[in-house]
Amino acid sequence: AQKITQTQPGMFVQEKEAVTLDCTYDTSDQSYGLFWYKQPSSGEMIFLIYQGSYDEQNATEGRYSLNFQKARKSANLVISASQLGDSAMYFCAMSLRRGGKLIFGQGTTLQVKP
Amino acid sequence: NAGVTQTPKFQVLKTGQSMTLQCAQDMNHEYMSWYRQDPGMGLRLIHYSVGAGITDQGEVPNGYNVSRSTTEDFPLRLLSAAPSQTSVYFCASSEPGQPMEAFFGQGTRLTVV
């Protein structure tokens, strides 16, 4: 069965420091995608970063990078130089080959302290 | 540049009432899906569609119906609302290929009393 696990319900980070949000996944498919979404208190889902299962290099998007370790089935999100506006819920998700279906983890609430 | 539009944004229903949550996308995406988000949980897939006329069940389909008569629209019907269906509902669309980013609507907050 496909599953996403986020083991950190809540995290604190000091402004301007880096933070890593953990995500592990389970699937028997060879082709899949891994995503991170940000959900601020306003409720919308904001796409942050994507990693394909065949991508050899870790994905980066500005201050966001995805630390993809395929053998360990982990896809951790690294946010560098945290900002107050980064305070939000973060979801790791996995897409399977067909259908655009996403499987989500339970989320990690990140609070950035000034 | 509307993207994915969900209506209504908020709704209160009485137990046993029926209603339809609307979802429309203007990106000509093949894939559309509905999720629900309960407090402290991630989004869970209710139903999805890979194209007009084709739908299938997700993880939590009971109590919901969908149809996809056009590429643009993917309504979600609650047949007989129950308090357990109190949740925030998200519609998403995406296109086959890489990267498979899903575009989400703003969500519908539904309360069943």
Side-chain angles (χ1 to χ4, degrees):
Chain A
Q2 290 86 9
K3 188 177 180 181
I4 293 281
T5 302
Q6 295 179 252
T7 57
Q8 306 155 314
M11 293 275 289
F12 289 92
V13 65
Q14 206 68 34
E15 191 178 10
K16 300 180 184 176
E17 291 185 350
V19 64
T20 298
L21 306 184
D22 293 341
C23 172
T24 58
Y25 62 92
D26 189 18
T27 181
S28 56
D29 283 13
Q30 297 302 308
S31 178
Y32 52 88
L34 296 158
F35 300 76
W36 279 92
Y37 285 87
K38 173 183 178 181
Q39 187 178 46
S41 58
S42 52
E44 70 267 33
M45 296 292 288
I46 302 170
F47 167 76
L48 294 179
I49 197 166
Y50 168 85
Q51 178 88 38
S53 59
Y54 295 116
D55 295 340
E56 294 185 354
Q57 292 196 336
N58 287 342
T60 59
E61 291 284 350
R63 294 186 299 110
Y64 305 107
S65 60
L66 197 153
N67 184 1
F68 181 46
Q69 298 188 39
K70 196 170 183 176
R72 299 178 66 178
K73 294 191 173 180
S74 73
N76 298 340
L77 177 70
V78 180
I79 305 175
S80 63
S82 297
Q83 302 172 356
L84 295 178
D86 293 335
S87 295
M89 177 79 85
Y90 289 81
F91 289 102
C92 180
M94 175 170 61
S95 68
L96 304 176
R97 191 177 313 172
R98 176 169 167 78
K101 300 172 286 183
L102 291 172
I103 299 168
F104 285 83
Q106 292 188 317
T108 295
T109 300
L110 177 67
Q111 294 191 36
V112 181
K113 294 181 175 180
Chain B
N1 194 16
V4 179
T5 302
Q6 288 183 237
T7 54
K9 289 186 170 51
F10 301 93
Q11 183 71 49
V12 178
L13 284 180
K14 293 183 178 180
T15 298
Q17 286 185 319
S18 63
M19 80 158 295
T20 299
L21 307 185
Q22 301 291 345
C23 176
Q25 52 97 2
D26 61 0
M27 297 170 282
N28 204 34
H29 285 168
E30 285 189 38
Y31 296 163
M32 295 187 75
S33 49
W34 276 102
Y35 299 84
R36 61 177 287 174
Q37 183 180 20
D38 300 310
M41 300 182 70
L43 281 68
R44 292 184 292 169
L45 182 67
I46 304 171
H47 286 285
Y48 67 99
S49 169
V50 299
I54 307 170
T55 63
D56 205 346
Q57 297 180 351
E59 181 186 355
V60 288
N62 291 342
Y64 307 96
N65 273 357
V66 292
S67 60
R68 183 104 180 264
S69 56
T70 67
T71 299
E72 295 78 20
D73 299 302
F74 191 44
L76 178 72
R77 297 182 187 85
L78 280 70
L79 308 174
S80 177
S84 60
Q85 293 178 305
T86 294
S87 189
V88 180
Y89 292 84
F90 287 96
C91 178
S93 74
S94 62
E95 189 66 14
Q98 299 288 341
M100 286 176 64
E101 177 186 341
F103 292 82
F104 283 86
Q106 293 295 307
T108 295
R109 185 173 295 274
L110 176 68
T111 302
V112 183
V113 298

